[in-house]
Amino acid sequence: MAILGALKLAPSPPALAGAAPPATPARSSLRFHLANAGAAALVAASLLVADPAPGGGPYGKQVTRGQDLTGKDFSGQTLIKQDFKTSILRQANFKGANLLGASFFDADLTAADLSDADLRGADFSLANLSKATLTNANLEGALVTGNTTFKGANINGADFTDVPLRDDQREYLCKIADGEFNHWEPHKGDSALQLMEGDEGY
């Protein structure tokens, strides 16, 4: 190894008459330093080859970005900031999961169950949430930019506080809400106010 190759032993100087023989270094000390150097090299090598699990997250170790995860069960899991970008998540189960700050950018969540999930700050830009169940989900501050669609979704009791909705998205959500809330606007502390199961509109 390079570490051992760098260790050079110089020849011993000639002994002088009457001089005491030079002290011999303790072998245990040399072995100790070599062992430490070897351990350090192994640690450094392991860090270089460690798999950072790209497309996963700090809590979920599996790669979830750009994957076909149809019908996968994530219910009740802690998946904060998990990366589900461009994944197929049809009929996936996220019931009661902690998905704070997770990314579902351009993901297909058709008929997925997101009921009771914590989706605060999640990114649903360009996502397909057709026929998804968002019952009692908390979407406070979530992103729904682009062509995010909620066609046929169940949003009964969902919290859309501070979600920046396009006019057509807001109009559709109002249509699938109870008739009393045709001009509903999201305000701090509001929920979807008993939004009822949607029609087959948008």
Side-chain angles (χ1 to χ4, degrees):
M1 291 179 65
I3 294 175
L4 296 179
L7 181 64
K8 297 181 180 180
L9 299 176
S12 301
L16 300 177
T24 303
R27 291 183 181 179
S28 60
S29 177
L30 178 61
R31 285 197 299 268
F32 175 77
H33 289 297
L34 288 177
N36 279 355
L42 290 174
V43 170
S46 67
L47 290 175
L48 289 175
V49 301
D51 181 8
Y59 290 86
K61 301 300 182 183
Q62 70 270 39
V63 177
T64 53
R65 179 176 180 174
Q67 304 295 309
D68 186 348
L69 301 169
T70 300
K72 182 81 172 177
D73 186 5
F74 296 100
S75 59
Q77 295 186 28
T78 298
L79 297 166
I80 296 172
K81 295 185 178 180
Q82 191 75 16
D83 189 351
F84 292 98
K85 290 186 185 78
T86 70
S87 288
I88 300 172
L89 296 159
R90 294 185 173 213
Q91 299 178 326
N93 184 3
F94 292 98
K95 183 178 176 62
N98 185 345
L99 292 155
L100 183 70
S103 177
F104 294 97
F105 179 88
D106 200 21
D108 185 354
L109 288 151
T110 301
D113 186 354
L114 294 153
S115 58
D116 302 306
D118 187 347
L119 298 164
R120 289 174 296 165
D123 185 0
F124 290 100
S125 301
L126 301 176
N128 184 359
L129 289 152
S130 298
K131 300 182 180 180
T133 301
L134 291 160
T135 306
N136 298 320
N138 187 351
L139 291 94
E140 182 177 348
L143 295 177
V144 292
T145 57
N147 293 324
T148 305
T149 178
F150 295 93
K151 182 178 180 180
N154 182 348
I155 54 175
N156 183 30
D159 187 346
F160 283 82
T161 301
D162 296 332
V163 176
L165 298 167
R166 298 191 318 264
D167 289 343
D168 58 325
Q169 290 171 327
R170 183 180 296 107
E171 181 181 355
Y172 178 69
L173 291 176
C174 289
K175 282 182 180 179
I176 64 176
D178 190 308
E180 296 179 21
F181 306 107
N182 289 332
H183 300 287
W184 172 73
E185 295 280 350
H187 297 291
K188 190 69 178 176
D190 286 350
S191 70
L193 302 174
Q194 289 76 47
L195 295 178
M196 305 305 290
E197 188 167 347
D199 56 25
E200 296 300 320
Y202 180 73

